[in-house]
């Protein structure tokens, strides 16, 4: 248990579906992140939020839409995805600019399969 | 943002020390070196960090060269459960991960 909770853990969706991934942390962190990790590839940073404001969008397609209603919650809304979007989606939180002695905390991820 | 360079893979015998190098030659004075690891299909886990002094905790030791252009993560007695991908990150750096080093601990 890292203090960062992601739901659901597994998701199968069709290409025409709309779904959302949820992440929450109650660690008092001010920064939250979404990452994508495809099979046997490094983590790709998708979005960064700092104090609820988006500070990084790493050229992510518009079919991925993040939402950060407060510093504790982060969503990733998905619509009209492609099979190549199947991956492990990881959420993280940290205290910026210096994460301190515990670094960033990661959730267990959502394993997404697009069919 | 400072970039890091790590070897793609390393092997280590169980019970021996694993020494994982990282090059960060463009690091600036206020940037910390952080190490994380990712065990298969799990989220990355923080290991240790440092600025310029050597650091040790219950998981590992971090040796940073005097010019701060490189560092080494040391797992003093590697076990099979230490098999993972190890990432060296210079912070603050938007928490961007490179390819890391795949460490295989073998019995």
């Amino acid at each position: 248990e890292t203090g960062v909770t992601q739901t659901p853990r597994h998701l199968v969706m069709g290409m025409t579906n709309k779904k959302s991934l949820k992440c929450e942390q109650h660690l008092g962190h001010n920064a939250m992140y979404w990452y994508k990790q495809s099979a046997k590839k490094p983590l790709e940073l998708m979005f960064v939020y700092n104090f609820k404001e988006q500070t990084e969008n790493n050229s992510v397609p518009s079919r991925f839409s993040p939402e950060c209603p407060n510093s504790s919650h982060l969503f990733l809304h998905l619509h009209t995805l492609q099979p190549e979007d199947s991956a492990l989606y990881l959420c993280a939180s940290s205290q910026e600019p210096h994460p301190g002695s515990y670094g960033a905390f990661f959730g267990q991820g959502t394993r997404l399969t697009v069919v | 943002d400072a970039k890091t360079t790590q070897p793609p893979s390393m092997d280590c015998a169980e019970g021996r020390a694993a020494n994982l190098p990282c090059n960060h030659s463009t690091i600036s004075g206020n940037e910390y070196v952080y190490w994380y690891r990712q065990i298969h299909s799990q989220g990355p886990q923080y290991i240790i960090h440092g600025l310029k002094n050597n650091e040790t905790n219950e998981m590992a030791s971090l040796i940073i060269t005097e010019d701060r252009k490189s560092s080494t993560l040391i797992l003093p007695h590697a076990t099979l459960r230490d098999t993972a991908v190890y990432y060296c990150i210079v912070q603050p750096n938007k928490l961007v991960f490179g390819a890391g080093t795949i460490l295989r601990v073998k019995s």
Side-chain angles (χ1 to χ4, degrees):
Chain A
E1 180 58 52
T2 64
V4 178
T5 304
Q6 290 187 242
T7 53
R9 292 293 306 276
H10 300 272
L11 178 63
V12 179
M13 61 185 288
M15 288 189 284
T16 58
N17 290 161
K18 289 185 180 181
K19 296 287 185 183
S20 296
L21 309 185
K22 180 182 177 182
C23 176
E24 61 181 305
Q25 58 91 7
H26 297 286
L27 301 168
H29 290 166
N30 60 3
M32 296 188 77
Y33 310 76
W34 278 119
Y35 291 86
K36 174 186 177 183
Q37 190 170 35
S38 303
K40 297 185 179 180
K41 289 188 177 179
L43 289 91
E44 299 173 45
L45 180 63
M46 299 174 73
F47 302 103
V48 181
Y49 278 82
N50 225 308
F51 291 105
K52 303 189 300 177
E53 297 299 320
Q54 187 180 114
T55 56
E56 185 85 11
N57 177 336
N58 209 16
S59 303
V60 180
S62 59
R63 58 186 184 271
F64 295 91
S65 175
E67 179 190 0
C68 189
N70 54 60
S71 293
S72 299
H73 293 86
L74 186 64
F75 296 88
L76 188 63
H77 304 299
L78 316 171
H79 64 98
T80 60
L81 294 193
Q82 304 298 312
E84 59 265 29
D85 297 322
S86 299
L88 179 68
Y89 288 84
L90 288 159
C91 172
S93 72
S94 69
Q95 192 65 27
E96 292 303 322
H98 177 39
S101 297
Y102 299 98
F105 287 74
F106 283 78
Q108 291 300 307
T110 295
R111 175 70 60 185
L112 174 68
T113 303
V114 181
V115 296
Chain B
D1 294 332
K3 296 193 185 301
T4 62
T5 304
Q6 298 177 252
S9 65
M10 295 180 65
D11 290 340
C12 177
E14 189 178 20
R16 303 297 293 267
N19 298 294
L20 294 101
C22 179
N23 182 289
H24 32 79
S25 57
T26 60
I27 193 169
S28 61
N30 65 341
E31 291 181 315
Y32 287 74
V33 180
Y34 274 76
W35 283 83
Y36 292 81
R37 74 179 183 185
Q38 186 178 23
I39 296 172
H40 181 62
S41 293
Q42 298 181 21
Q45 175 193 23
Y46 163 82
I47 300 173
I48 198 167
H49 78 287
L51 184 61
K52 50 185 175 181
N53 296 324
N54 297 338
E55 302 288 343
T56 295
N57 63 20
E58 64 278 4
M59 289 182 71
S61 295
L62 175 60
I63 308 298
I64 303 174
T65 57
E66 194 168 339
D67 63 7
R68 301 212 321 124
K69 293 184 177 183
S70 65
S71 60
T72 301
L73 178 75
I74 301 173
L75 307 178
H77 305 287
T79 70
L80 298 177
R81 290 193 295 180
D82 292 320
T83 293
V85 181
Y86 288 77
Y87 301 98
C88 167
I89 296 175
V90 172
Q91 198 96 27
N93 190 20
K94 299 176 290 188
L95 208 55
V96 175
F97 288 77
T101 296
I102 299 171
L103 175 68
R104 299 184 188 90
V105 180
K106 300 183 176 181
S107 58

